[in-house]
Amino acid sequence: MKRIFTRISVLAAFCLLTINVALAQNITVKGKVIDGGDKTPLPGVTILIKGTQNGAQTDENGNYSISVPANATLVFNFVGYTALEQAVNNQTTLNVSLASSTQQLEQVVVVGYGTQRKIDVTGSVGTVKGEDISKQASVNPVSALQGKVAGVSITNNGTPGSSPQITIRGTSTIYGKTGPLYVVDGVWYDDINFLNPADIANISILKDASSQSIYGIRAANGVVLVTTVKGKKGTAVINYNGSVGIQTVTNQVEMANASEYATAVNEAYSLQTPPVAPLFANTNLGAGTDWYNQVLRSAAVTNHQLSISGGSEKSTYNFSLGYLDQDGIVKNNNYKRYTARLANDFQIFEPLKIGYNVAGTYSKSKDAPTTIFRGMYAASPVVPVFNPDGSYGDPNAFNLGNGSNMNPQATLDFFNQNTTKYKINGNVYAELKFLKNFTFKTSIGGDFGQEEVRGYVPKYKATNTQLSTISKLDIDRIENRNWLVENTLTFDKRWSDHSLTILAGQTAQRNKMYTINADAQNVPYTSEGDLYLALGDAAARSIIDKGELSTFSSYFARVNYGYKNKYLLNASIRRDGASQFFGSDNVWGNFPSIGAGWVISNEEFMKNQNIFSNLKLRGSWGKVGNAGVPFNPSTQTVDQSAALIAIFGGIPYTGASIRSIVPPTLFWERSAGTDIGLEMGFFKNRLNVELDYYNRKTEQAIFDIPVLGSLGTANSSLIANQADIQNRGFEFLATWADKTSGGLTYSISGNLGINNNKVLNVTSGANPIYKGGAGLTSGYLSTRTVNNRPIGEFYGYQVAGIFQTDAEAAAWPGFKKGDFKYADINGDGTIDLRDRVVLGNPNPKFTYGLNTNFAYKNFDLTLDIQGVADVDVFNANLSSRFGNENFTKDFFDHRWTGPGTSNTYPSADLAGGLNNAPNSFYVEKGDYIRLRNIQLGYSLPSAIVNKWKMQRLRVFLNAQNAVNIFGYKGFSPEVGGTPTNAGIDTNVYPLFATYNFGVNVTF
């Protein structure tokens, strides 16, 4: 690490020396910038030296001062105005006026295999600038998108180094890969956790099938296009971004103290049949142990990035180094990430351009036990962390030992697991322009990575249940070797009132994964860091290796046509072949799309109106596919085991058994979608509004449906194309950007997404698919997926009150006073599985965000608010009880303690009868609104930073997730999960608030 930063320092010193020499030849240019129409001063105008990021801003009177080379060209930029370039030519005074423009319409949007003017786009594409991503404290760029794009739902996990779940326009896939396709500079990925957010120039999210279909094979769950930062022509620019901060627990669940716990446990024992003697003779035990305070902490986080970019007329470069050190809020938990990236572009001669970008990422984490939050939640406060003699407090000493009541500190101290990841990725390309209108581009990209999880359990005894009589080492290693080759030919011509772009392309791709799972027993602790599998007992070593190989071949074409900048047409088709489907008649799939747009505001009859500065109607339809299914799902396999040995003639023969059912064939999972959009601009495009309606249906969705266990299968479900899934919704985006005469520039943007999810035409008919059993007791299942209902709805008993007396409960076998009183839905006088009803929906109906930016003089302020509504969470923390777990303070304060005390909360005997069965008490509203990010920055005046040989120096304060408003009784209602297990809170690693101080320096 020291060697890395020594090299950075040397490199930075060299670049500073070069810049100082250049600055010695500079002159100071002063001037004023005004509005070309009303001649008023324009404050906050950005002035850059062309080809660099060096520059200044006008003050409240429109004045500026900047040190530049005598032969430089200045570029003046301001929201709502046309950019202006002005040569200095040794002038020391340069006054300019800017003309109002339709900048919003001319904005370039990144789309599949190219770019388009926003006004020409016929599909639904959401864009986020890199500067809006880097302004957040998020260490993962996907997390920074939360609340910024309508129709995009992001669920974060607090585990350091983890990747958020992203859902675009609702859940449309249940089995296999449910996430979107990420395309980074033309290379395909399943995740972009390896990217440093500061390396991103912009992100485009393709939301409708028309814009996605050019990536047919993998676009069913959306496409996220990432463009990284490139070098620009001009002198070298050195930029440093750094921050240090603290992460703190928010909305910590308050648990019952020792006295309250003892009281509740004694009550639970008294309610047993027959009653059991109290466990605690004395309940006056004081506060006891607060296990959250014992295990959790305020955690430090530091993030640094250094980049150097520049270039000449013939070549440009960008080089960056990044370092992240993030502690988890669980003690001992830590994540470190090192990134390096280099991009070069070379103009060999006028028609030929070549380039490459390569990135390397290394990360290492000291992991936290996955059960630690469950352990803290369940642990008894009467158990001390340590006994007076230094030994661990043992729940068994208090007759509290069970499957979940343990000493969390012992769990933490004897957990030793590290995860290491290496990744190298990037691509090289060549682009040739010929015959005036043609461009041929070829690109070869790759993704080579390795992940290793190494866990070691020593021989130890902490308590009577937390012990290991042998030491054990586990190593899990995953290697990925992926490559992608793409060739495209583009014809682009503008003539008279016409514009035509034709794209044709071909793609070949191979993904290879190799995994090894190995373990050994009786490995000495002193061997840690060596090849210690070999040091374990030879008879107790196990190695399992396996791999997957998938190949793809694709051909695609697209036509974009425009007439008089009023009538737009987009049509594309992609044909994909995938090895997962070899051996069937469905190797190849075709994915067409068509989109049309009408720029109404350019019509003659709109010329004299003063309402719309822009009015565009667009519509699209398309099909996309999902090849992210398990490897060889249609291949019948057999199992061999010692139980199947038969002896004939004294010779043992190993038998085989078919223990799984596979479909005879598996089809492409296709998604067909329609989108209708309306774009409007008002007040010279200061206000821009976008409305979208979409209707998307996944056809032949791959489901796993239950099969009878009597068939002798090991698996209890059959994987096949079993259903259709529909997502329909509405999206709204409004942005106001303006300036005031006092020098304040600002933008306010709000977005809203509404989605309705429904399963259609399930092959199994009325037979529901039950899931959601993870973390629940007694084998209960809490979700149901059935025809004409949303995916993974919560399903269970409807609570109608609490039985107040035994006499009241006597009519219902199996119930007693203090128990939940369930509604008899079918009226048969008994409570059984036939009385279950829909309890809630984990699929959010509403997602929204409010994003604002303000700049006044040298100050800037960013404020982002984000939230979801009409969504439910299943609080499995409350229902998962084995007998003596702790209670929340909320439950203790409101529990039933006798007739008339509560008709909502049950007694302390939650583990009795059907009390812990899935029911409406455990399903809570998951709505929340969050102050996602707030950042206040101050840029030192140009006169000061120029004296320090800098171009810019900005300091900032940042707070993320500082304010969270919700009614859910857990840490956070932001709970992810697979589609049929979503929204079930089993003590996931919660989010936290982050407070940062940082600095941006540009030389």
Side-chain angles (χ1 to χ4, degrees):
M1 186 63 200
K2 291 181 179 179
R3 186 176 302 172
I4 293 175
F5 281 102
T6 299
R7 292 176 179 175
I8 293 174
S9 301
V10 172
L11 185 58
F14 172 76
C15 293
L16 280 174
L17 179 61
T18 303
I19 292 170
N20 286 338
V21 172
L23 287 172
Q25 303 171 2
N26 284 1
I27 63 173
T28 298
V29 177
K30 297 181 180 180
K32 190 169 188 175
V33 183
I34 62 173
D35 186 305
D38 57 22
K39 308 304 179 184
T40 58
L42 292 178
V45 176
T46 301
I47 305 106
L48 295 177
I49 302 171
K50 186 177 181 180
T52 77
Q53 293 299 306
N54 307 334
Q57 279 191 334
T58 57
D59 61 19
E60 65 272 19
N61 297 315
N63 297 318
Y64 72 94
S65 176
I66 185 171
S67 177
V68 301
N71 61 348
T73 298
L74 297 182
V75 181
F76 297 80
N77 277 294
F78 194 54
V79 176
Y81 291 80
T82 301
L84 176 68
E85 294 187 8
Q86 191 74 41
V88 174
N89 292 330
N90 287 306
Q91 301 176 79
T92 58
T93 301
L94 202 59
N95 297 317
V96 300
S97 61
L98 298 183
S100 180
S101 73
T102 55
Q103 184 179 9
Q104 181 74 13
L105 307 182
E106 298 296 326
Q107 175 188 344
V108 174
V109 177
V110 178
V111 296
Y113 299 98
T115 60
Q116 284 183 285
R117 293 186 309 164
K118 181 174 176 57
I119 193 66
D120 295 331
V121 175
T122 60
S124 182
V125 181
T127 60
V128 180
K129 295 179 181 178
E131 61 191 65
D132 293 330
I133 296 172
S134 60
K135 276 188 177 181
Q136 301 219 15
S138 303
V139 298
N140 187 296
V142 175
S143 180
L145 297 175
Q146 192 171 40
K148 292 190 175 296
V149 181
V152 176
S153 175
I154 294 173
T155 304
N156 289 290
N157 185 307
T159 306
S162 64
S163 297
Q165 286 183 245
I166 176 172
T167 303
I168 300 173
R169 291 186 167 180
T171 300
S172 58
T173 294
I174 290 182
Y175 203 85
K177 295 179 180 178
T178 60
L181 167 68
Y182 296 93
V183 182
V184 182
D185 294 328
V187 183
W188 296 17
Y189 302 95
D190 291 329
D191 186 15
I192 54 173
N193 197 31
F194 62 89
L195 272 180
N196 187 331
D199 283 331
I200 295 176
N202 61 72
I203 291 180
S204 291
I205 300 180
L206 311 184
K207 297 189 291 183
D208 74 312
S210 173
S211 59
Q212 298 165 354
S213 65
I214 200 70
Y215 294 104
I217 194 172
R218 281 282 313 281
N221 297 303
V223 181
V224 179
L225 305 181
V226 181
T227 304
T228 58
V229 176
K230 305 292 184 183
K232 296 181 179 180
K233 297 176 184 178
T235 57
V237 177
I238 301 176
N239 184 264
Y240 167 76
N241 290 314
S243 65
V244 295
I246 196 79
Q247 302 162 147
T248 61
V249 179
T250 62
N251 303 95
Q252 180 173 310
V253 177
E254 186 179 2
M255 305 301 294
N257 63 29
S259 297
E260 294 165 340
Y261 170 79
T263 300
V265 168
N266 282 353
E267 287 178 11
Y269 277 42
S270 69
L271 292 168
Q272 302 296 309
T273 305
V276 178
L279 182 63
F280 296 97
N282 176 20
T283 61
N284 188 19
L285 301 176
T289 303
D290 187 327
W291 287 106
Y292 281 129
N293 289 343
Q294 176 64 29
V295 175
L296 302 182
R297 63 179 175 181
S298 293
V301 58
T302 62
N303 199 355
H304 306 277
Q305 196 214 29
L306 180 68
S307 67
I308 305 171
S309 64
S312 64
E313 292 296 325
K314 293 295 185 181
S315 67
T316 60
Y317 62 89
N318 182 278
F319 173 67
S320 68
L321 293 172
Y323 169 64
L324 168 70
D325 187 351
Q326 181 184 17
D327 287 333
I329 58 174
V330 174
K331 293 177 181 178
N332 302 334
N333 187 202
N334 174 264
Y335 174 75
K336 289 183 173 66
R337 183 184 67 198
Y338 306 84
T339 60
R341 182 178 169 274
L342 176 61
N344 276 112
D345 296 291
F346 305 94
Q347 196 74 49
I348 303 302
F349 50 87
E350 185 59 31
L352 179 62
K353 182 179 180 181
I354 64 173
Y356 69 88
N357 70 79
V358 59
T361 305
Y362 166 73
S363 67
K364 185 172 184 178
S365 65
K366 185 172 179 58
D367 303 331
T370 56
T371 59
I372 191 65
F373 278 93
R374 172 62 189 171
M376 287 184 284
Y377 188 92
S380 168
V382 304
V383 178
V385 181
F386 297 102
N387 296 315
D389 62 359
S391 61
Y392 287 95
D394 189 349
N396 296 278
F398 298 83
N399 295 316
L400 297 173
N402 62 37
S404 63
N405 201 335
M406 297 186 178
N407 186 319
Q409 187 64 52
T411 301
L412 199 63
D413 290 345
F414 289 98
F415 183 80
N416 183 356
Q417 179 178 294
N418 296 286
T419 300
T420 305
K421 297 181 182 180
Y422 308 84
K423 182 184 282 287
I424 297 176
N425 53 71
N427 72 323
V428 295
Y429 76 91
E431 185 177 275
L432 178 66
K433 296 181 182 296
F434 62 98
L435 298 178
K436 190 177 180 180
N437 302 114
F438 289 88
T439 302
F440 173 76
K441 183 176 181 180
T442 184
S443 172
I444 302 175
D447 172 24
F448 307 98
Q450 175 179 304
E451 176 180 346
E452 181 178 286
V453 181
R454 182 179 291 252
Y456 179 74
V457 179
K459 183 178 179 180
Y460 77 99
K461 181 177 181 180
T463 70
N464 285 331
T465 53
Q466 292 171 275
L467 54 86
S468 178
T469 57
I470 59 171
S471 61
K472 185 178 181 182
L473 168 69
D474 288 281
I475 299 177
D476 296 320
R477 180 179 297 166
I478 302 175
E479 297 179 4
N480 289 291
R481 303 290 185 266
N482 308 323
W483 56 254
L484 172 72
V485 177
E486 292 189 316
N487 298 291
T488 60
L489 179 64
T490 304
F491 171 82
D492 190 8
K493 185 175 177 59
R494 304 288 187 273
W495 74 98
S496 184
D497 295 326
H498 308 272
S499 64
L500 178 65
T501 302
I502 302 175
L503 169 75
Q506 171 269 334
T507 294
Q509 184 178 8
R510 189 184 79 164
N511 296 335
K512 180 181 179 181
M513 182 176 69
Y514 179 65
T515 64
I516 296 178
N517 310 108
D519 62 78
Q521 296 180 3
N522 294 321
V523 178
Y525 180 76
T526 55
S527 68
E528 186 178 15
D530 299 328
L531 299 175
Y532 43 46
L533 277 175
L535 299 177
D537 292 343
R541 286 201 298 265
S542 171
I543 299 178
I544 301 173
D545 65 336
K546 55 186 177 181
E548 295 182 4
L549 176 65
S550 56
T551 58
F552 307 90
S553 183
S554 309
Y555 304 90
F556 54 90
R558 181 177 61 205
V559 176
N560 291 313
Y561 173 73
Y563 178 65
K564 288 188 175 182
N565 284 326
K566 293 189 291 187
Y567 311 114
L568 311 170
L569 180 66
N570 174 299
S572 69
I573 187 167
R574 184 172 181 122
R575 180 169 172 80
D576 287 315
S579 61
Q580 288 102 313
F581 304 97
F582 284 175
S584 73
D585 295 330
N586 298 283
V587 175
W588 292 91
N590 298 315
F591 305 100
S593 77
I594 188 167
W598 178 23
V599 186
I600 306 172
S601 54
N602 286 346
E603 293 286 359
E604 288 297 324
F605 61 81
M606 294 289 289
K607 295 299 183 183
N608 296 322
Q609 57 84 33
N610 297 313
I611 300 176
F612 298 101
S613 46
N614 172 51
L615 181 61
K616 185 176 90 173
L617 178 66
R618 51 178 168 80
S620 65
W621 172 90
K623 277 195 173 186
V624 288
N626 183 16
V629 297
F631 188 65
N632 285 337
S634 299
T635 302
Q636 179 71 71
T637 59
V638 298
D639 290 343
Q640 291 180 311
S641 68
L644 301 174
I645 293 178
I647 300 176
F648 297 97
I651 301 175
Y653 294 89
T654 302
S657 173
I658 296 175
R659 302 182 63 200
S660 62
I661 299 177
V662 300
T665 186
L666 206 63
F667 305 98
W668 285 93
E669 187 175 87
R670 294 175 172 85
S671 180
T674 302
D675 183 276
I676 300 174
L678 183 64
E679 300 176 10
M680 296 173 286
F682 305 90
F683 311 111
K684 295 183 179 181
N685 285 319
R686 289 185 177 87
L687 174 63
N688 286 276
V689 177
E690 292 188 31
L691 306 174
D692 274 272
Y693 168 79
Y694 63 88
N695 185 1
R696 186 183 69 197
K697 186 168 71 172
T698 300
E699 302 166 341
Q700 299 179 331
I702 298 175
F703 256 62
D704 54 335
I705 61 172
V707 297
L708 296 174
S710 59
L711 296 178
T713 62
N715 59 336
S716 58
S717 60
L718 169 65
I719 303 168
N721 299 93
Q722 322 253 25
D724 294 341
I725 302 170
Q726 183 184 64
N727 284 278
R728 289 190 298 182
F730 174 82
E731 293 170 359
F732 171 82
L733 170 66
T735 302
W736 175 274
D738 200 4
K739 63 179 179 65
T740 67
S741 58
L744 174 69
T745 61
Y746 63 95
S747 67
I748 302 174
S749 180
N751 67 79
L752 170 68
I754 304 174
N755 179 262
N756 290 282
N757 175 274
K758 185 163 62 173
V759 177
L760 306 174
N761 307 321
V762 178
T763 303
S764 57
N767 295 328
I769 299 169
Y770 295 103
K771 296 286 183 178
L776 302 187
T777 55
S778 305
Y780 290 119
L781 299 176
S782 59
T783 75
R784 183 188 71 163
T785 301
V786 71
N787 207 22
N788 291 317
R789 299 294 304 177
I791 295 173
E793 281 186 312
F794 299 129
Y795 194 68
Y797 298 106
Q798 180 65 48
V799 175
I802 305 297
F803 287 112
Q804 301 297 316
T805 64
D806 281 333
E808 182 184 3
W812 302 90
F815 292 89
K816 62 182 183 303
K817 63 182 179 181
D819 285 353
F820 285 120
K821 181 192 298 182
Y822 294 139
D824 182 12
I825 300 300
N826 62 0
D828 64 356
T830 62
I831 299 297
D832 55 29
L833 295 178
R834 292 170 293 183
D835 293 305
R836 292 177 298 172
V837 295
V838 172
L839 303 175
N841 186 358
N843 304 288
K845 184 173 183 178
F846 301 99
T847 57
Y848 57 89
L850 178 67
N851 305 286
T852 65
N853 290 281
F854 303 90
Y856 179 71
K857 295 185 178 180
N858 293 337
F859 289 93
D860 61 87
L861 175 67
T862 299
L863 180 68
D864 297 329
I865 296 173
Q866 170 265 331
V868 301
D870 202 0
V871 62
D872 299 295
V873 177
F874 188 95
N875 194 342
N877 307 317
L878 289 172
S879 69
S880 300
R881 299 190 63 85
F882 297 87
N884 291 315
E885 292 85 354
N886 197 9
F887 302 88
T888 65
K889 186 68 163 60
D890 170 77
F891 182 87
F892 178 83
D893 290 342
H894 298 93
R895 76 196 187 284
W896 180 92
T897 56
T901 55
S902 175
N903 199 39
T904 306
Y905 284 63
S907 71
D909 187 23
L910 266 176
L914 288 176
N915 281 340
N916 57 5
N919 65 54
S920 57
F921 178 79
Y922 301 122
V923 177
E924 304 180 37
K925 297 300 295 182
D927 302 13
Y928 70 85
I929 182 171
R930 170 182 298 143
L931 180 58
R932 176 61 182 162
N933 200 69
I934 181 171
Q935 185 175 115
L936 176 65
Y938 177 74
S939 298
L940 272 68
S942 299
I944 296 177
V945 298
N946 287 342
K947 290 181 181 180
W948 298 344
K949 307 303 181 184
M950 298 178 184
Q951 294 298 326
R952 189 188 187 205
L953 175 58
R954 175 179 177 267
V955 294
F956 64 87
L957 295 171
N958 189 92
Q960 188 175 75
N961 300 332
V963 179
N964 303 272
I965 301 173
F966 55 82
Y968 178 61
K969 296 182 178 64
F971 269 95
S972 170
E974 192 170 350
V975 181
T978 58
T980 53
N981 296 278
I984 302 175
D985 185 1
T986 55
N987 273 294
V988 296
Y989 203 120
L991 290 181
F992 40 79
T994 304
Y995 302 92
N996 301 74
F997 167 77
V999 60
N1000 310 134
V1001 185
T1002 302
F1003 297 96

